[in-house]
Amino acid sequence: MTRFIHNFKILKIVTLFILVTFTTATVYSQAYTKEELQDSIATQPYFSIHKDNFLVSGVPTNKAINSATANAKYQISFKQILTRSKLPLDTYLFLTYTQKSFWNIYEDSFPFKDINFNPSIAIGKFFYDKENRLKGVGTLSFEHESNGRDSIASRSWNRINLEYTTGIYKNTVASFKAWLPFSYKEGNPDLLEYVGLGQINVSHTYQPDKLIFDLRLRKGLNFEGKGSVRARVYYNPFGNNISNQYLMLEWYVGQAEGLLNYQQSQSMIRIGYVIRTNEFRWFNGRKK
C-alpha cells in the first residue's frame, strides 16, 4: 500500500510538470466558425472511431513481475451517427460501442482475465460563442457497462451521463463528465467508492499528429485514496501520411481499471500500438 501511494504521488507530480511545461506551446490554429464546422461534419463518415483502439502490454510497478501479473490490454471502440442536426435545437443522435479486454498472454493457454462491454446511445450538441465560433460540445447519454459473466463474477452498472468538452488553452482540450448511476448494487454494491460520480480528461497536443499527452482523473466517493489516474503519451513515428496511428505509453494507477477486480489497487505501465480517436479534433482548430 505504501508503494502504491508513493507511485500515486509521483504520477501526480509528473502530470503537473507535463501540464505546466507544455501549455506554453505555440498556437498553430484558429477556432472553427459554425459554418465551417457544419461543412466539416457534413463530409465526415457516419461510422467512425469513438475511443482509442489499441493493443498494449506491460508490467506492474507495485508488485512482483511474473506471468500472472504482466498482461496485455486491448480495446475496440466505434461510433455510428444516426442523425446530423435533424433533431430539435440542432442536436444529433449517435450510438457507441467499446469493448475492453485484459489478456494474460504470458500464462499458459493465454486466458482472458476480464472483458468489459460498454454500449451507449447519446444526443450531442455543439455550442458557439457570440462570434459563432466553436465553444464546446455537450453530450447526454445512457451507458451500460458489464463483464458479461454470471453468479459471483458478475459485474455491471448503468448510468446517465452529462459530458462537456471544450478547449481550455492553446492546443489543450478538456472533457468534464458526470454520471448518475443506477442498477449497480447487485454484484458490485460499493463500485462508486472506486469510480466516483465523474471524471476529468485533459489532452494536450504538443506537436500536431506527432506528440500528444493525455490525463484522466477519477475520485471515488470516499475520504481515502480510492480512485484512479491514467496518464498517456502518444508518439507518431510513422510520418504525417499516417496521422491517426501512434505508439502509446500508458501508466494506470488506482482501482477499477476493469470491472471484475475493481477493488484491487494497481500500478501498471504498458506500451503498444494505438489508432487514436480524433473525435474532438475541431478544438485544435484550422492550421494557418
Side-chain angles (χ1 to χ4, degrees):
M1 182 62 184
T2 301
R3 189 174 181 181
F4 167 74
I5 294 174
H6 176 68
N7 286 335
F8 193 86
K9 290 180 178 178
I10 291 176
L11 184 54
K12 288 196 293 185
I13 293 172
V14 171
T15 300
L16 181 61
F17 173 78
I18 289 174
L19 291 177
V20 171
T21 301
F22 293 106
T23 50
T24 59
T26 303
V27 179
Y28 76 101
S29 59
Q30 293 178 330
Y32 273 84
T33 65
K34 183 176 183 179
E35 182 179 357
E36 290 171 334
L37 183 59
Q38 289 176 338
D39 290 342
S40 176
I41 294 172
T43 62
Q44 299 304 310
Y46 279 90
F47 184 83
S48 62
I49 293 175
H50 177 45
K51 299 179 182 179
D52 290 344
N53 288 259
F54 59 75
L55 173 62
V56 294
S57 179
V59 297
T61 67
N62 63 335
K63 61 182 71 173
I65 299 174
N66 53 52
S67 61
T69 59
N71 66 13
K73 179 175 70 169
Y74 75 81
Q75 179 172 282
I76 55 174
S77 182
F78 59 82
K79 174 181 180 179
Q80 174 67 38
I81 297 176
L82 302 179
T83 66
R84 282 179 172 153
S85 300
K86 299 296 184 182
L87 300 179
L89 303 177
D90 287 331
T91 57
Y92 61 100
L93 183 67
F94 61 94
L95 299 171
T96 73
Y97 176 77
T98 301
Q99 182 174 313
K100 179 173 60 179
S101 301
F102 298 88
W103 191 6
N104 288 8
I105 60 174
Y106 303 106
E107 293 186 1
D108 295 338
S109 78
F110 313 109
F112 283 92
K113 183 177 182 180
D114 192 20
I115 303 176
N116 296 171
F117 307 93
N118 182 205
S120 78
I121 183 168
I123 294 177
K125 178 176 174 57
F126 290 93
F127 293 91
Y128 304 91
D129 61 19
K130 294 180 180 179
E131 297 180 348
N132 263 345
R133 295 189 179 276
L134 178 62
K135 185 177 181 180
V137 179
T139 304
L140 176 65
S141 63
F142 165 74
E143 193 171 354
H144 169 78
E145 188 172 11
S146 66
N147 65 351
R149 302 174 71 168
D150 58 10
S151 189
I152 61 173
S154 175
R155 305 282 186 271
S156 68
W157 64 313
N158 300 293
R159 54 194 184 270
I160 301 295
N161 303 314
L162 186 61
E163 184 172 10
Y164 185 72
T165 302
T166 186
I168 60 173
Y169 201 75
K170 303 171 185 178
N171 303 333
T172 305
V173 178
S175 293
F176 306 90
K177 185 175 183 180
W179 47 73
L180 179 64
F182 60 96
S183 300
Y184 65 89
K185 293 188 177 180
E186 184 176 351
N188 36 252
D190 60 345
L191 181 63
L192 299 186
E193 291 287 315
Y194 302 89
V195 301
L197 292 175
Q199 66 183 36
I200 298 174
N201 200 104
V202 178
S203 181
H204 179 75
T205 300
Y206 179 65
Q207 187 175 351
D209 300 328
K210 193 71 175 182
L211 185 61
I212 301 169
F213 298 89
D214 188 273
L215 174 70
R216 194 197 72 183
L217 303 173
R218 286 181 175 180
K219 177 65 181 72
L221 289 182
N222 57 78
F223 294 103
E224 303 172 11
K226 297 176 183 176
S228 63
V229 178
R230 189 193 69 193
R232 288 174 173 174
V233 178
Y234 301 86
Y235 175 71
N236 179 4
F238 307 110
N240 294 332
N241 293 329
I242 308 177
S243 60
N244 69 335
Q245 298 182 46
Y246 293 81
L247 298 179
M248 180 178 76
L249 176 65
E250 178 187 77
W251 189 5
Y252 188 99
V253 180
Q255 304 87 27
E257 185 180 24
L259 286 177
L260 181 61
N261 298 312
Y262 65 91
Q263 298 172 328
Q264 292 184 3
S265 298
Q266 62 180 349
S267 174
M268 292 290 298
I269 291 182
R270 300 184 180 94
I271 190 171
Y273 169 78
V274 58
I275 303 174
R276 191 176 188 274
T277 180
N278 60 356
E279 192 171 34
F280 299 114
R281 62 194 176 281
W282 300 290
F283 290 106
N284 288 330
R286 295 176 284 102
K287 294 183 180 179
K288 293 181 177 181

